[in-house]
């Protein structure tokens, strides 16, 4: 069944919002003071982000394709697998969903934001931060992780077995994201998604949170540009060799 663009944009908006709520919500649970999950390990965050992709995929994969990521949308369009005329509407819906999702995370955890005094812990619930303050390392890390994500996403969804078992493919996508966070999340987070990083970073800059510190705009281009370039390369690689 083919859905109208408006319906698909609603799916992208809601799907991206859910990804942010489940993903950044898991970071807030671990890093913000006084939560029941405060001090939990990295695997809780990996599970949160894995399910943050899995749940929207199950809900909207057959409606909008569940891009929920501007880099994937651009990568598909660059390889002729998605119409350029729909790229900007998809991206706007994704960014709007990311912003609304982050606002809901703040609403859910507001008392704990007020209790937290570490600005890095607060910013980490919104956007990514390179652990060594290196833009080069951040770019390399984000590119590698994003390339695997997009190559893997196409490989999983286009494989003959998964094409006949869409639900299993969606679980594969969620497991892929969770594994990427567990394996490559140490240096940067990771972001893997311009909307996931830039949308919430804008929210961080605008909200009057206690002890929030700066929004690290000097680093903000890294988790935007690296996934976009990786998206173009990852999708092109799969199309060249396997389609």
């Amino acid at each position: 069944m083919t859905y109208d663009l408006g319906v698909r944009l609603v799916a992208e908006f809601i799907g991206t919002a859910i990804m942010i709520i489940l993903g950044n919500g898991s970071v807030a649970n671990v890093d913000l003071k006084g939560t029941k999950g405060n001090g939990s390990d990295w695997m809780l965050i990996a599970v949160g982000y894995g399910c943050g992709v899995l749940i929207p995929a199950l809900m909207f994969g057959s409606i909008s394709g569940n891009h929920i990521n501007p880099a994937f949308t651009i990568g598909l369009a660059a390889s002729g697998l998605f119409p350029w005329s729909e790229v900007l509407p998809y991206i706007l819906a994704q960014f709007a969903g990311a912003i609304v999702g982050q606002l809901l995370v703040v609403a859910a955890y507001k008392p704990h934001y007020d209790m937290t005094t570490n600005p890095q812990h607060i910013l980490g619930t919104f956007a990514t931060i390179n652990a060594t303050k290196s833009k080069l390392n951040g770019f390399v890390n984000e590119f590698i992780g994003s390339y695997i994500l997009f190559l893997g996403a196409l490989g999983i969804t286009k494989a003959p077995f998964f094409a006949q078992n869409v639900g299993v493919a969606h679980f594969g996508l969620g497991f892929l994201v969770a594994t990427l966070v567990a394996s490559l999340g140490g240096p940067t987070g990771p972001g893997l998604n311009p909307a996931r990083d830039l949308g919430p970073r804008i929210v961080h800059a605008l909200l009057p949170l206690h002890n929030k510190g700066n929004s690290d705009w000097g680093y903000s281009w890294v988790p935007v540009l690296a996934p976009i370039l990786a998206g173009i390369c990852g999708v092109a690689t799969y199309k060249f060799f396997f389609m």
Side-chain angles (χ1 to χ4, degrees):
M1 180 177 180
T2 301
Y3 292 86
D4 291 338
L5 177 60
V7 175
R8 290 183 280 126
L9 294 180
V10 171
E12 286 294 300
F13 171 84
I14 297 175
T16 308
I18 290 173
M19 175 188 66
I20 296 296
I21 293 168
L22 298 185
N24 283 1
S26 67
V27 180
N29 193 20
V30 170
D31 283 350
L32 296 182
K33 188 174 180 180
T35 70
K36 293 182 180 293
N38 181 239
S40 300
D41 65 22
W42 189 251
M43 290 308 297
L44 180 63
I45 295 173
V47 171
Y49 270 107
C51 291
V53 172
L54 165 62
I55 302 304
L58 290 171
M59 295 172 67
F60 303 121
S62 61
I63 297 175
S64 70
N66 194 54
H67 294 189
I68 61 175
N69 187 332
F72 191 44
T73 302
I74 293 171
L76 290 171
S79 285
L81 302 177
F82 188 76
W84 278 109
S85 62
E86 296 184 0
V87 168
L88 182 58
Y90 258 59
I91 290 175
L92 291 176
Q94 292 156 2
F95 268 98
I99 289 170
V100 170
Q102 187 62 47
L103 288 171
L104 293 175
V105 171
V106 174
Y109 280 96
K110 185 57 168 62
H112 303 281
Y113 278 106
D114 292 341
M115 295 167 61
T116 303
T117 58
N118 186 327
Q120 293 293 93
H121 285 177
I122 293 173
L123 179 58
T125 68
F126 288 81
T128 59
I129 308 166
N130 184 264
T132 60
K133 308 300 182 184
S134 168
K135 294 183 180 65
L136 176 60
N137 175 254
F139 190 94
V140 171
N141 179 260
E142 288 290 340
F143 185 91
I144 294 171
S146 298
Y147 182 87
I148 294 171
L149 171 62
F150 302 129
L151 181 65
L154 282 179
I156 290 170
T157 57
K158 299 295 184 182
F161 171 77
F162 289 121
Q164 302 299 319
N165 298 271
V166 179
V168 179
H170 293 156
F171 273 92
L173 287 174
F175 190 76
L176 171 61
V177 172
T179 305
L180 284 170
V181 174
S183 301
L184 295 176
T188 65
L192 311 175
N193 183 334
R196 169 262 179 272
D197 190 279
L198 184 56
R201 197 182 297 269
I202 292 171
V203 175
H204 179 272
L206 295 177
L207 286 183
L209 297 172
H210 301 304
N211 305 309
K212 72 173 185 177
N214 69 72
S215 302
D216 198 7
W217 287 108
Y219 180 76
S220 63
W221 62 272
V222 173
V224 173
L225 183 58
I228 290 174
L229 293 177
I232 293 171
C233 294
V235 174
T237 298
Y238 189 85
K239 180 182 179 182
F240 182 79
F241 287 106
F242 306 113
M243 291 183 71

